[in-house]
Amino acid sequence: TRRHREWPVEDTAEVSLETTGVRAEILLTWAASERRNRAWIEGTRGTIRLEGNLLELTLTDSTGPVVRRFPQSLAEGSHHPDWFSGVAAEFLAEIADPGRRGRSLAEASLCVELIARARESSSRGGAPVSVGLREGPAAAAGTGQRRIAR
């Protein structure tokens, strides 16, 4: 809790995820003085940067970035009804096709697992903890062991 100490819930989460050759750092907060979204992904072939309504792709072997601007920032509003139709369509597709069943549940389970492990890590002073992910077709989000810290 960084700012809203009177609330019985965290206002900030800082998480590091690691797996073989990959590391992600995530900062989520309701304690900032402004609402905005930023993401930066760096890989062997280039970078992707997202800030507000700007998406920029820079490939390592290119002369300059490819830039796209969206009509509005991801930070505008607290919900995105235009996204929900895709989530609903995916859920309905799972109901219709037994071969797809369990994907939404696997994704939701992964989110709950990551939140629980982040809280466990926090209670241990930021010590890394393992996240065990189930194997099989329902585990669409990935398999194996991952570490989470902070």
Side-chain angles (χ1 to χ4, degrees), residues 72-138:
Q72 68 179 16
S73 169
L74 290 174
E76 290 182 32
S78 61
H79 67 293
H80 297 278
D82 50 325
W83 298 359
F84 188 73
S85 62
V87 173
E90 176 63 27
F91 179 73
L92 292 173
E94 284 186 46
I95 292 172
D97 180 359
R100 295 177 68 157
R101 288 194 186 144
R103 292 181 183 187
S104 293
L105 181 59
E107 184 176 348
S109 296
L110 174 61
C111 292
V112 170
E113 174 78 6
L114 290 174
I115 291 167
R117 298 294 71 81
R119 286 185 167 157
E120 179 184 346
S121 174
S122 179
S123 72
R124 295 180 179 188
V129 296
S130 291
V131 178
L133 302 178
R134 289 183 292 273
E135 305 227 2

Side-chain angles (χ1 to χ4, degrees), residues 21-85:
V22 178
R23 179 180 173 92
E25 304 233 357
I26 303 164
L27 174 65
L28 307 167
T29 186
W30 288 104
S33 60
E34 64 180 321
R35 184 181 173 111
R36 66 182 188 171
N37 292 327
R38 290 186 317 221
W40 182 1
I41 302 170
E42 185 175 346
T44 57
R45 295 182 55 205
T47 61
I48 298 173
R49 182 175 69 98
L50 174 68
E51 187 152 352
N53 69 334
L54 173 87
L55 178 67
E56 181 179 278
L57 169 66
T58 306
L59 296 174
T60 307
D61 57 0
S62 70
T63 57
V66 175
V67 177
R68 178 172 179 198
R69 292 199 182 274
F70 298 98
Q72 68 179 16
S73 169
L74 290 174
E76 290 182 32
S78 61
H79 67 293
H80 297 278
D82 50 325
W83 298 359
F84 188 73
S85 62

